[in-house]
Amino acid sequence: MMPRTLFDSDHEAFRATARRFFETEIAPFHEKWETQQHIDRDLWNKAGELGMLCPTMPEEYGGSNVDRLYSMILMEEQARSGDSACGFSLHSDIVANYLLNFGNEAQKQHWLPKMATGEAVTAIAMTEPGTGSDLQAIKTTAKADGDDYIVNGSKIFITNGYLCDMAVVAVRTGDSGKGAQDVSLLMIEAGREGFTKGKPLKKVGMRGQDTCELFFDNVRVPKSNLLGVEGMGFIMLMKELAWERMMIAIMCVSGAEAALATTVEYVKDRKAFGKPISAFQNTRFKLAEMRSEVQIARVYVDRCMELVLKNQLSPEAACAAKYWVSDLLSKVVDECVQLHGGYGYMLEYPIARAYIDNRANRIYGGTNEIMKELISRSI
């Protein structure tokens, strides 16, 4: 109903490439990814060949030096295709940004080109079995030992964890008791002795996504793997969280649009009592409500992206986008399942997969309750 004004012809050409990739390389193999609980490793290389990994990174580090609208397009097309298996955006728009913004030149030269081609898969490991949104309470330690750190602890719910070649790990490097001031970020390669990975976790939804536990048992890591400055990890994490929450909002509004589109198609074809379901007033009103609310979400998210491009998006606005749009997606998908009737509960229908895959959006990236708490502090 409201035309979008963010994209130019170059953006749309990139969108066409991304759409083809998700439609041909990802969507047809949904059941395979769910069975093995991760995508095939060579898909990372294929995505890299098409320029779909780390596109916003500078050219000297293997990227295309484009704006974040290209990242937005990738997330939108992933959500549109119904894919919940690929962890490309976390790799390209979270881990890569930590390296670009806080890494030294040697670290950037070593990792970013490999990340752009898909040669290296990366993860970020913050959450622990006993700590979720409270990052200041992490227990994984990195004790100094000469030129190294000795790392002990574990992480859970780590996207890309099973296939990762390197993880940026939030560790405790001090014992001051001041919480945030003791947290640092350490890059840990998967091949280091004592670094082990659990089997992919059995989740309710998003079962094709590579998600596992990581374990660190006296892992020796050189101090040169420290990202940024010791004790600044929490601050670095906070600086990137607004964009991470916007990423969730972007995928959620696109997912809501896709859910609504597939439902409109279904109710026009499906008949009850001799006429299409779309002919009933209840159906028409439900569709009208969802279309209006999804459009409102779209306008807000696009406006937030305009501010992202200007580096003017406030943390509170990002929190609002994350919590409200993820709540809306759950509401829309639930209504769409109802309009599908019994078939809405069958996994052969995209709406059923959306029902189980999208619930987690209200949890990760900081729970929606935490989002409201953060917003309330600015009032």
Side-chain angles (χ1 to χ4, degrees):
M1 291 187 288
M2 299 284 286
R4 303 181 71 183
T5 59
L6 284 173
F7 308 108
D8 60 26
S9 59
D10 288 339
H11 291 122
E12 295 303 343
F14 182 72
R15 183 186 297 279
T17 299
R19 182 168 297 185
R20 282 193 301 271
F21 179 83
F22 283 108
E23 288 181 347
T24 60
E25 300 287 350
I26 304 296
F29 307 102
H30 186 90
E31 291 187 12
K32 178 185 178 182
W33 310 148
E34 287 199 332
T35 299
Q36 65 187 28
Q37 295 181 278
H38 59 80
I39 64 174
D40 288 344
R41 178 61 180 83
D42 65 357
L43 281 173
W44 286 90
N45 305 97
K46 291 180 181 179
E49 290 171 8
L50 293 171
M52 297 202 305
L53 298 179
C54 306
T56 63
M57 293 300 107
E59 292 181 9
E60 61 264 35
Y61 303 128
S64 300
N65 199 34
V66 293
D67 59 50
R68 275 183 165 167
L69 291 176
Y70 286 80
S71 296
M72 185 183 198
I73 289 167
L74 284 169
M75 295 174 218
E76 289 181 348
E77 292 307 313
Q78 179 177 357
R80 177 187 173 276
S81 73
D83 170 55
S84 61
C86 294
F88 296 156
S89 59
L90 180 139
H91 168 93
S92 299
D93 282 277
I94 297 180
V95 180
N97 280 328
Y98 281 116
L99 267 68
L100 180 67
N101 295 332
F102 307 115
N104 58 42
E105 189 62 22
Q107 291 168 342
K108 288 187 277 192
Q109 289 286 358
H110 179 77
W111 285 110
L112 289 176
K114 294 179 181 179
M115 291 172 66
T117 62
E119 179 184 348
V121 175
T122 59
I124 185 159
M126 294 185 284
T127 304
E128 297 183 356
T131 61
S133 298
D134 185 10
L135 294 176
Q136 299 183 53
I138 62 170
K139 293 182 171 58
T140 298
T141 59
K143 302 289 187 182
D145 182 40
D147 293 331
D148 300 328
Y149 290 108
I150 307 298
V151 180
N152 284 282
S154 66
K155 300 291 180 176
I156 197 168
F157 310 138
I158 307 306
T159 301
N160 297 343
Y162 191 67
L163 291 179
C164 78
D165 299 294
M166 182 272 283
V168 173
V169 184
V171 295
R172 183 169 296 281
T173 51
D175 294 307
S176 71
K178 295 181 180 179
Q181 296 181 27
D182 294 327
V183 177
S184 302
L185 298 183
L186 195 60
M187 296 181 293
I188 305 181
E189 300 90 342
R192 291 194 175 276
E193 184 177 355
F195 180 2
T196 58
K197 304 171 181 179
K199 293 181 179 180
L201 296 167
K202 295 182 178 180
K203 306 183 293 296
V204 171
M206 306 180 77
R207 289 178 293 188
Q209 187 191 84
D210 170 359
T211 311
C212 75
E213 290 183 89
L214 303 179
F215 303 96
F216 307 97
D217 182 12
N218 290 320
V219 181
R220 184 170 291 275
V221 183
K223 288 184 176 179
S224 59
N225 279 25
L226 180 70
L227 195 59
V229 179
E230 190 173 290
M232 294 294 288
F234 188 79
I235 294 175
M236 291 188 282
L237 291 169
M238 292 304 102
K239 286 184 177 179
E240 289 297 307
L241 276 177
W243 172 237
E244 293 176 30
R245 288 161 181 164
M246 270 303 300
M247 291 166 59
I248 297 171
I250 289 166
M251 296 195 75
C252 283
V253 70
S254 188
E257 290 170 341
L260 181 57
T262 192
T263 302
V264 168
E265 182 179 350
Y266 177 83
V267 298
K268 286 181 177 179
D269 291 338
R270 180 71 172 171
K271 290 185 178 181
F273 303 101
K275 58 182 179 181
I277 297 174
S278 60
F280 292 95
Q281 185 184 67
N282 177 71
T283 303
R284 298 199 307 272
F285 280 13
K286 288 294 184 182
L287 294 175
E289 291 170 5
M290 289 188 286
R291 187 184 183 195
S292 299
E293 291 182 328
V294 171
Q295 181 70 92
I296 291 166
R298 163 57 62 210
V299 172
Y300 183 76
V301 169
D302 280 5
R303 174 59 181 145
C304 284
M305 275 304 297
E306 291 177 356
L307 295 174
V308 166
L309 296 175
K310 298 176 182 177
N311 294 316
Q312 295 177 356
L313 181 69
S314 71
E316 296 79 19
C319 287
K322 190 272 179 184
Y323 108 73
W324 195 84
V325 183
S326 63
D327 273 0
L328 176 64
L329 174 57
S330 288
K331 174 185 174 183
V332 166
V333 169
D334 187 72
E335 293 280 15
C336 289
V337 167
Q338 194 72 16
L339 289 175
H340 276 71
Y343 290 103
Y345 217 58
M346 300 295 107
L347 285 173
E348 64 195 83
Y349 283 80
I351 197 63
R353 295 201 305 270
Y355 186 75
I356 59 174
D357 282 347
N358 286 299
R359 180 58 179 84
N361 289 295
R362 291 155 58 189
I363 300 172
Y364 56 56
T367 66
N368 285 4
E369 290 72 26
I370 293 293
M371 297 301 99
K372 294 172 187 178
E373 173 64 24
L374 294 174
I375 295 168
S376 71
R377 294 177 184 177
S378 67
I379 298 174

